[in-house]
């Protein structure tokens, strides 16, 4: 195992690099030979049928899942079993989950300041200022003292996005951020994500929101059965998908 | 609770008036069906049979003062016995001229427990208060300072001994139990093995045998001349026992934490210790308050088992008081009296736990 430095490397070039990544759940081959590069500021949207390994793939980027073969480098840090490297990568990578995963025993403000205070070692006051700034940005400044259980799903997901942003990450991962939301709340979350994209955040989103993908993505990635089947800029991807499986998938989700 | 819906301009209808007449209430709550009417009548009959004799025994026919036991057997309860033996039941064999010391210790314990119930005090300040309080209580009981005559632990008895054994068993058993619970879920096989082995071993053995072993067998294994204080031995047995039981309660809470909570903490870069302390334990412990307090209440009453290794806790001192040949045959009065003491402490724990539960669940309401 190589002994990479636990400090972020030069900010030029690939923010995320996956080389020949494989993963198995028992005998089941969930990720097969994944190769992916995400440049700084690039927005990548990953789509594909359920069980295709897209969530597993982005969860490998911050080691919520462990890959068994291949190489992953994030923000210049090699991802290996070294806990120091893993924690260094997690400081630079924000993640938004399908189920929000807010901490129900803490207020919204405490959810936002927890990691900056304990991980970044910011003074409480500074962390709270940052938190209020991001609450403003996700348009719920007046909910700071409520508990997550008192908010709607859309509000909770926006708090979750703000919570990640408070760590000032280089990269944001979104794992089906709107799949658990009632239809009328999807837009408010997507709007926040679009705003984030406009600010130049490096983003990898697993989502079925193809309207969002068209607006925001620099690159579409289609996965099926653990493999990357096709990658293309959204214009080409939607206008003339090359692979048969991509065409089938797109026809299923675009005409439902 | 603030009603969010208040500022939404919606026309609301008042609910239909509820029948408030006494007869209506009776019909709904006591006689709503034939079966329920029978139950109600049975309950009333039971109360009518039990309450009047009890009141007659405990209050009307009771004897409140008597020169000796002979004169006290005439009517109902002999509360004169309690008056006569109160000092001994509460403080046992502790030197009578030093009685203010155990009284002060009980006061210190009650004050510390009260302080621990005030949530804004939770934190470093409370730890300091408790450290000071426990040190002061120990110095008062043991003495040895100028002006404080030394009193050997064999004479510590009654309520102070019960409080010391119970509170310290909880104080040290709880963190140990949390560590055991975390260890039992550890990924390291050695840590997990030790924790599982310990918990299963201690839980599988009656507390009495552990107390016996600690007080009778342990000295046999120690080199000649080395002795460990008897109270300390019982105390350690209680701590180890409490830890094993509390560990299983805490584990229940740990298992109920959704995986997403741990993933979110990991994704934010929190370390294992930070994650455990800030995310996992606060939620897990809040979830298991009822069984936790249940265990605490059980432990509090189990301290009375030290009777069998000849320590005179509240129950032991009471049993001893009953052997007075001038006052024979008042076991029921004595048991009612100390039962009331045990009950008030346990009832307090129970009520306080309900309050805590409500407070911790405040955020979860929609």
């Amino acid at each position: 195992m190589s002994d990479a430095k636990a400090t972020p490397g030069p900010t030029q070039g690939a923010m995320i690099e996956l080389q020949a990544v494989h993963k198995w759940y028992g005998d089941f081959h969930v990720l097969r030979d994944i190769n992916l590069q995400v440049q700084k500021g690039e927005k990548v949207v990953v789509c594909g049928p359920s069980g295709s390994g897209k969530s597993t793939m982005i969860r490998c980027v911050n080691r919520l899942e462990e890959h068994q073969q291949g190489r992953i480098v994030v923000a210049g840090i090699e991802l290996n079993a070294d806990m120091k490297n893993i924690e260094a990568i997690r400081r630079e990578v924000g993640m938004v989950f399908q189920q929000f995963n807010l901490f129900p025993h803490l207020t919204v403000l405490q959810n936002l300041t927890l990691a900056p205070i304990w991980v970044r070692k910011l003074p409480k006051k500074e962390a709270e200022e940052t938190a209020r700034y991001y609450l403003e940005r996700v348009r719920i400044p007046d909910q700071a003292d409520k508990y997550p259980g008192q908010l709607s799903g859309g509000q909770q997901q926006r708090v979750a996005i703000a919570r990640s942003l408070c760590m000032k990450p280089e990269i944001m991962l979104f794992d089906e951020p709107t799949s658990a939301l009632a239809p009328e709340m999807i837009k408010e979350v997507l709007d926040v994500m679009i705003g984030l994209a406009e600010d130049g955040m490096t983003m990898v989103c697993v989502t079925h929101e193809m309207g969002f993908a068209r607006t925001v993505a620099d690159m579409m990635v289609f996965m099926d059965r653990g493999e990357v089947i096709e990658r293309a800029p959204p214009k080409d991807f939607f206008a003339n998908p090359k692979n048969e499986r991509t065409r089938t998938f797109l026809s299923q989700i675009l005409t439902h | 609770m603030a009603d969010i819906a208040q500022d939404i301009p919606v026309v609301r209808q008042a609910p239909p008036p509820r029948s408030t007449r006494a007869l209506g209430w009776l019909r709904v709550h006591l006689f709503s069906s034939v079966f329920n009417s029978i139950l109600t009548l049975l309950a009333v009959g039971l109360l009518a049979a039990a309450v009047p004799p009890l009141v007659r025994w405990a209050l009307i026919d009771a004897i409140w003062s008597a020169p000796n036991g002979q004169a006290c057997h005439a009517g109902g309860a002999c509360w004169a016995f309690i008056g006569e033996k109160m000092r001994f039941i509460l403080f046992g064999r502790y030197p009578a001229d030093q009685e203010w010391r155990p009284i002060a210790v009980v006061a210190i314990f009650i004050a510390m427990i009260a302080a621990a119930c005030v949530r804004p005090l939770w934190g470093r300040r409370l730890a300091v208060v408790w450290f000071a309080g426990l040190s002061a209580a120990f110095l008062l009981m043991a003495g040895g300072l100028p002006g404080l005559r030394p009193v050997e632990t064999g004479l510590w008895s009654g309520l102070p001994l019960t409080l010391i054994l119970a509170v310290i068993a909880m104080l040290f058993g709880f963190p140990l139990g949390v560590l055991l619970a975390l260890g039992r879920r550890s990924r390291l096989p050695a840590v997990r093995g030790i924790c599982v082995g310990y918990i299963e071993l201690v839980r599988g053995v009656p507390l009495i045998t552990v107390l016996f072993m600690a007080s009778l067998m342990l000295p046999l294994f120690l080199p000649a001349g080395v002795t460990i204080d008897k109270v300390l031995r019982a105390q350690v047995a209680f701590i180890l026992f409490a830890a094993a039981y509390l560990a299983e309660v805490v584990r229940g809470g740990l298992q109920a934490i959704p995986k997403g909570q741990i993933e979110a903490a990991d994704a934010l870069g929190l370390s294992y210790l930070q994650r455990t302390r800030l995310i996992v334990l606060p939620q897990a412990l809040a979830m298991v308050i009822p069984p936790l307090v249940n265990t605490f209440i059980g432990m509090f009453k189990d301290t009375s088992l030290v009777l069998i290794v000849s320590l005179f806790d509240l129950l032991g001192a009471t049993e001893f008081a009953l052997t007075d040949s001038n006052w024979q045959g008042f076991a029921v009065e004595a048991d009612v009296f100390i039962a009331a003491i045990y009950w008030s402490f346990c009832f307090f724990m129970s009520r306080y736990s309900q309050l805590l539960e409500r407070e911790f669940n405040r955020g979860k309401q929609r």
Side-chain angles (χ1 to χ4, degrees), chain B residues 1 20 35 68 103 130 184 285 308:
Chain B
M1 192 164 307
T20 48
F35 182 63
N68 56 47
I103 293 177
W130 269 73
R184 187 164 189 168
L285 294 180
I308 62 134

Side-chain angles (χ1 to χ4, degrees), chain B residues 126-138:
Chain B
L126 190 64
V128 172
V129 167
W130 269 73
F131 183 75
L134 286 176
S135 312
F138 178 78

Side-chain angles (χ1 to χ4, degrees), chain A residues 59 62 64 87 90 93 95 97 101-106 114-115 118-119 121 147 149-151 156 163 167, chain B residues 4 259-261 263-272 274 277-279 282-283 362-366:
Chain A
R59 286 159 61 87
N62 64 352
L64 291 185
E87 281 173 12
R90 285 172 176 169
V93 178
M95 186 164 211
F97 300 87
N101 294 346
L102 291 176
F103 305 129
H105 62 303
L106 302 177
L114 183 92
W118 289 90
V119 180
K121 313 285 179 202
Y147 285 91
Q150 297 166 310
L151 305 182
Q156 289 194 48
R163 176 174 71 178
M167 283 294 282
Chain B
I4 305 167
K259 218 172 134 220
Q261 290 291 305
E263 290 179 351
D266 282 347
L268 285 168
L270 296 177
S271 67
Y272 172 82
Q274 290 169 335
R277 192 183 137 200
L278 301 167
I279 306 301
Q283 295 185 67
R362 216 183 16 183
K364 293 196 189 112
Q365 294 156 356
R366 270 227 153 197

Side-chain angles (χ1 to χ4, degrees), chain B residues 142-154:
Chain B
L145 291 181
L148 281 181
R149 177 144 56 87
V151 176
E152 58 152 325
T153 55

Side-chain angles (χ1 to χ4, degrees), chain B residues 69 94 99 167 206 243 258 274 302 343:
Chain B
Y94 205 87
E99 205 172 276
V167 170
Q274 290 169 335
D302 279 353
W343 180 84

